[in-house]
């Protein structure tokens, strides 16, 4: 995720980075410009069509409908991105609450403080890797009980870490370090971890319906590639930058929506999960 100052207009007008839509669309924009230029030359210098009245009327109506579709598309993608951010905010709060309760219930120097701190950090690390499709055991921190052998041969690493957390809390309850009410309060915090993970998996495993994506792309393609037919009658060779700009606007919105609809990846505009996990681990270290 990119940190930026939203008030610095001039920087963003002339700034390009690897995920910038202008950079991604540059080859296609050049192709559209060349296509329009050829169409304008043929129509104005060879065929000499008689201009018709209001040639852009149909495209104006279709453009309005297409704009509404893209607004809905962008809002849907942003809702997914924002819901993912809220879920990871809940991860942060739940981790802190869980750690604060344990720091009060467990005596200073108790070995379980360190073990549980490591397990909570492992759960968040495993969740982040799991959502990115590459959960790896070697990204975790091992303890004497929960070492590499404990995690190997398990496909869903977050569930394995959650089981270790439940085991530790139940063991402490059996030792009499907290009563039943306190045990249930801690159990609720643990359940929230699994609930948050399930919500993240729902976002990741339920993409925007493919038919909707295909339809918008087809409409953009048809709209842009038929626009020179009428644009050159009205604007002559000025239709070259006009059609190119229209393509950039519509296709750019679609590309931005594609990027943020999957918020747990590693694209520039995806959620900064790496920093979130590091910050939460730092909080846990201070508390426990």
């Amino acid at each position: 995720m990119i940190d930026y100052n939203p008030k610095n207009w001039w920087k963003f007008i002339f700034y390009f980075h690897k995920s910038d839509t202008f950079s991604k669309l540059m080859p296609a924009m050049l192709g559209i410009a060349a296509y329009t230029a050829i169409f304008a030359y043929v129509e104005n210098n060879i065929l000499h069509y008689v201009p018709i009245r209001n040639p852009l009327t149909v495209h104006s109506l279709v453009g309005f409908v297409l704009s509404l579709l893209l607004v809905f598309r962008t809002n849907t993608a942003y809702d997914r991105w924002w819901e993912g951010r809220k879920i990871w905010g809940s991860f942060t709060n739940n981790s802190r609450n869980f750690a604060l309760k344990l720091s009060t219930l467990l005596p200073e120097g108790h070995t379980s403080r360190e073990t549980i701190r490591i397990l909570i950090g492992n759960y968040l690390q495993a969740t982040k890797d799991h959502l990115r499709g590459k959960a790896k055991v070697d990204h975790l921190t091992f303890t004497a009980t929960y070492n590499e052998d404990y995690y190997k041969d398990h496909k869903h690493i977050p569930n394995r870490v959650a089981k270790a957390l439940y085991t530790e809390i139940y063991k402490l309850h059996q030792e009499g370090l907290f009563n039943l009410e306190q045990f249930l309060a801690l159990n609720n915090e643990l359940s929230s971890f699994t609930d948050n993970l399930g919500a993240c998996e729902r976002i990741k495993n339920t993409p925007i319906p493919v038919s909707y994506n295909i339809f918008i792309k087809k409409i953009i393609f048809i709209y842009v590639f038929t626009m020179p037919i009428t644009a050159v009658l009205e604007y002559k060779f000025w239709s070259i930058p006009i059609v190119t700009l229209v393509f950039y606007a519509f296709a750019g919105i679609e590309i931005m929506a594609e990027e943020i609809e999957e918020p747990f990846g590693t694209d520039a505009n995806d959620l900064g999960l790496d920093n979130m996990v590091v910050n939460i681990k730092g909080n846990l270290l201070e508390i426990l």
Side-chain angles (χ1 to χ4, degrees), residues 50-242:
V50 177
I52 60 177
R53 180 175 297 180
N54 299 324
L56 295 176
T57 302
V58 175
H59 271 82
S60 298
L61 296 174
V62 176
F64 175 74
V65 175
L66 180 58
S67 299
L68 294 179
L69 288 173
L70 288 174
V71 167
F72 179 77
R73 172 81 169 91
T74 306
N75 288 342
T76 303
Y78 183 77
D79 285 343
R80 293 165 59 87
W81 185 93
W82 183 240
E83 184 180 2
R85 180 61 185 89
K86 289 193 294 184
I87 294 170
W88 272 87
S90 179
F91 268 130
T92 302
N93 296 335
N94 294 337
S95 300
R96 291 170 179 169
N97 289 331
F98 189 48
L100 287 168
K101 292 175 181 178
L102 285 173
S103 68
T104 303
L105 296 173
L106 295 179
E108 291 289 342
H110 197 285
T111 56
S112 290
R113 294 171 69 99
E114 178 70 7
T115 300
I116 292 175
R117 179 187 68 80
I118 291 175
L119 288 175
I120 297 174
N122 281 347
Y123 188 84
L124 298 172
Q125 180 68 45
T127 296
K128 182 197 71 172
D129 292 341
H130 173 71
L131 293 174
R132 291 178 175 177
K134 53 179 181 181
K136 296 183 179 179
V137 173
D138 55 4
H139 289 176
L140 307 179
T141 302
F142 303 127
T143 65
T145 304
Y146 307 107
N147 51 26
E148 187 174 2
D149 292 333
Y150 176 81
Y151 296 107
K152 72 177 183 180
D153 299 329
H154 286 81
K155 295 181 179 180
H156 202 290
I157 303 300
N159 281 346
R160 189 63 172 165
V161 182
K163 181 180 179 180
L165 280 168
Y166 274 104
T167 301
E168 286 296 310
I169 296 302
Y170 181 76
K171 181 177 68 175
L172 292 173
H173 172 59
Q174 292 296 101
E175 294 175 1
L177 289 175
F178 36 80
N179 57 36
L180 180 59
E181 291 181 355
Q182 294 166 335
F183 173 75
L184 292 176
L186 293 173
N187 182 72
N188 290 335
E189 297 293 347
L190 283 176
S191 298
S192 66
F193 285 121
T194 305
D195 293 341
N196 287 337
L197 174 58
C200 289
E201 289 177 333
R202 170 172 51 82
I203 296 174
K204 176 179 174 59
N205 299 327
T206 311
I208 302 295
V210 63
S211 58
Y212 188 76
N213 264 327
I214 293 175
F215 178 75
I216 289 182
K217 289 177 173 58
K218 285 182 177 178
I219 292 298
I220 293 176
F221 177 84
I222 295 173
Y223 181 83
V224 172
F225 274 82
T226 57
M227 190 175 182
I229 297 175
T230 55
V232 296
L233 297 175
E234 184 76 20
Y235 303 112
K236 305 299 181 181
F237 286 97
W238 282 106
S239 61
I240 299 172
I242 292 173

